[in-house]
Amino acid sequence: MSTTVPEVITEIPRQTFPVALPGTMLAAVLYGQEDVRIQQVPTPHAGPGELVVRVSAALTCGTDLKVFRRGYHAKMIQPPALFGHELAGVVAEVGDGVTNFSIGDRVVPINSAPCGDCYFCNRDQENLCEDLLFNNGAYAEYIRISARIAEKNTLLVPERVSLEHAALTEPLACALHGFEASNPHPGDAVAVIGGGPLGLMIMHVAALAGCKVIAVVKYDEQAEVAKALGAAHIVQSTVTEEAVAAVRELTPGNRGVDIAIEAVALPETWEQAVDMVRNGGLVNFFGGPEIGTTVQFDTNRLHYGDLTLKATFHHTPAICRRAFNLILSGQFQADRFLTGHAPLSDLNQAFAQLLDRGTHGHSIKTVILPGFSSASIPAFGEALP
């Protein structure tokens, strides 16, 4: 993989913001299942320790798509609420007491921050914090960043790095957490089930770490991207009916992979992951199914196969910084994950395309640009004016 910093594909020039922000702004509001409305809402203002960030780029996300389809997220959001959580932008207003950020700074605010004091935080499990503070509202012209997130989990973006690329920090942190928690070693055979954005990110991270990646995907476009991101082998579910057997055939003696990571969030793929892994191997249930979903496993296989089953959720501030540094290094192919631009007014259309991967299999992440109209949106790959 190249170690040079990727060429900036889009950029919004630094601006000097007025002291008084506009009274209202355009924002996406989640009301329920597949009910997101683009509305005028009051523009937020920064309280003590807080920031208001002008959103330069907000990215569509598999989690947001899941929230859109289900109408809620058990941990992150309950309607009606402002929507979206992957973004980068420019500081437009700073609250009293803020000393580490100034108006005009380019930043990537992560969508959460732990309390630092609870049972889990004291045991280095900040992703399970009992008072984990989430932030939503990236699909808007402006977003308020709480004091805790501003202090603990907002990162300055160097001028040489595209804000679009920087906005990938949060999902990459989730992928990095899932991979690192799977106890990988260079040379391990790692099967990743799922060709969505996070599945592809896990494949890429695993390949960069020196693992032999077997990508289990559905669509031709996903297979093509997986290869470009370093997958050694592709198992395509639309080509073979026996994905488990196909994966095992790619390992010595058909013994199975060292690590299987499920990134689809369906019970059948959870069960497939257990069947793909070798005796003594590890299965990571990365994808989160709906509340109440159940699965069935052969207890004999689990016990006598000495399998490790685990799941990973979210990220920590330390993992976010490692993900951010990976983007800054240039090793991470950020441009592979950004496949189009759209104005905020077209957010529902962007979600519809992501839901219909059979027709739009090339869509991975759409960059939502709240500062542009349909008439002024640039073609993907063109510099923003």
Side-chain angles (χ1 to χ4, degrees):
M1 300 291 179
S2 172
T3 57
T4 59
V5 176
E7 181 181 356
V8 172
I9 54 174
T10 64
E11 194 51 88
I12 294 179
R14 182 184 295 274
Q15 298 183 19
T16 300
F17 291 91
V19 174
L21 300 180
T24 63
M25 66 174 185
L26 206 60
V29 183
L30 175 72
Y31 282 91
Q33 187 175 16
E34 298 191 20
D35 186 3
V36 172
R37 306 172 198 175
I38 310 302
Q39 298 178 324
Q40 288 288 335
V41 302
T43 303
H45 289 279
E50 295 181 339
L51 304 172
V52 170
V53 171
R54 178 183 179 271
V55 179
S56 300
L59 309 183
T60 58
C61 166
T63 298
D64 287 342
L65 187 64
K66 187 162 59 177
V67 170
F68 174 75
R69 193 172 61 244
R70 299 176 186 175
Y72 73 95
H73 188 287
K75 290 279 189 181
M76 290 174 56
I77 186 171
Q78 295 292 332
L82 296 176
F83 189 35
H85 67 278
E86 295 178 10
L87 76 140
V90 179
V91 175
E93 187 176 82
V94 297
D96 292 341
V98 174
T99 58
N100 51 340
F101 296 104
S102 301
I103 290 175
D105 282 348
R106 306 165 77 249
V107 294
V108 52
I110 308 302
N111 71 323
S112 71
C115 72
D117 296 319
C118 71
Y119 175 92
F120 294 103
C121 286
N122 287 327
R123 284 155 180 80
D124 295 323
Q125 294 177 301
E126 293 168 301
N127 60 309
L128 301 177
C129 173
E130 294 171 334
D131 184 31
L132 190 59
L133 178 66
F134 286 99
N135 197 19
N136 287 285
Y139 301 132
E141 293 180 280
Y142 296 90
I143 183 172
R144 181 170 56 222
I145 308 303
S146 71
R148 191 197 293 180
I149 294 176
E151 176 188 0
K152 294 187 175 186
N153 227 4
T154 296
L155 309 173
L156 281 167
V157 181
E159 292 285 351
R160 62 185 175 83
V161 177
S162 165
L163 288 174
E164 291 184 349
H165 289 178
L168 288 163
T169 300
E170 193 276 336
L172 179 56
C174 292
L176 196 60
H177 179 207
F179 175 68
E180 291 180 345
S182 301
N183 193 30
H185 299 87
D188 278 352
V190 179
V192 181
I193 307 173
L198 280 169
L200 291 169
M201 283 187 176
I202 295 170
M203 294 173 200
H204 190 27
V205 168
L208 289 173
C211 295
K212 184 180 77 172
V213 177
I214 301 173
V216 184
V217 299
K218 187 174 183 179
Y219 301 111
D220 292 341
E221 293 85 357
Q222 293 172 337
E224 182 180 343
V225 175
K227 288 179 183 177
L229 294 173
H233 302 285
I234 306 295
V235 173
Q236 197 167 339
S237 60
T238 51
V239 176
T240 177
E241 295 181 359
E242 299 294 337
V244 171
V247 167
R248 283 184 165 273
E249 286 173 3
L250 294 169
T251 64
N254 289 353
R255 69 178 175 229
V257 294
D258 301 296
I259 299 169
I261 302 177
E262 194 279 350
V264 180
L266 292 175
E268 53 264 38
T269 44
W270 273 44
E271 293 168 4
Q272 282 182 340
V274 170
D275 291 335
M276 287 178 184
V277 77
R278 65 168 172 83
N279 287 348
L282 182 144
V283 179
N284 189 325
F285 302 119
F286 182 86
E290 289 189 76
I291 294 173
T293 301
T294 60
V295 294
Q296 290 186 323
F297 299 125
D298 181 348
T299 56
N300 184 77
R301 166 87 174 108
L302 302 185
H303 178 76
Y304 291 103
D306 195 9
L307 302 188
T308 297
L309 307 184
K310 71 173 302 168
T312 47
F313 165 70
H314 206 50
H315 48 64
T316 68
I319 293 170
C320 290
R321 280 152 181 78
R322 291 203 294 277
F324 187 59
N325 287 334
L326 183 58
I327 291 171
L328 298 188
S329 76
Q331 291 180 292
F332 182 76
Q333 297 184 47
D335 55 326
R336 291 279 183 183
F337 294 89
L338 306 176
T339 50
H341 288 145
L344 183 58
S345 58
D346 287 352
L347 179 63
N348 278 286
Q349 180 181 341
F351 280 141
Q353 289 183 351
L354 291 171
L355 285 170
D356 185 16
R357 290 194 185 274
T359 303
H360 303 279
H362 64 286
S363 296
I364 302 175
K365 283 181 175 290
T366 298
V367 184
I368 303 299
L369 302 172
F372 289 83
S373 66
S374 296
S376 64
I377 204 78
F380 189 73
E382 293 181 1
L384 302 181

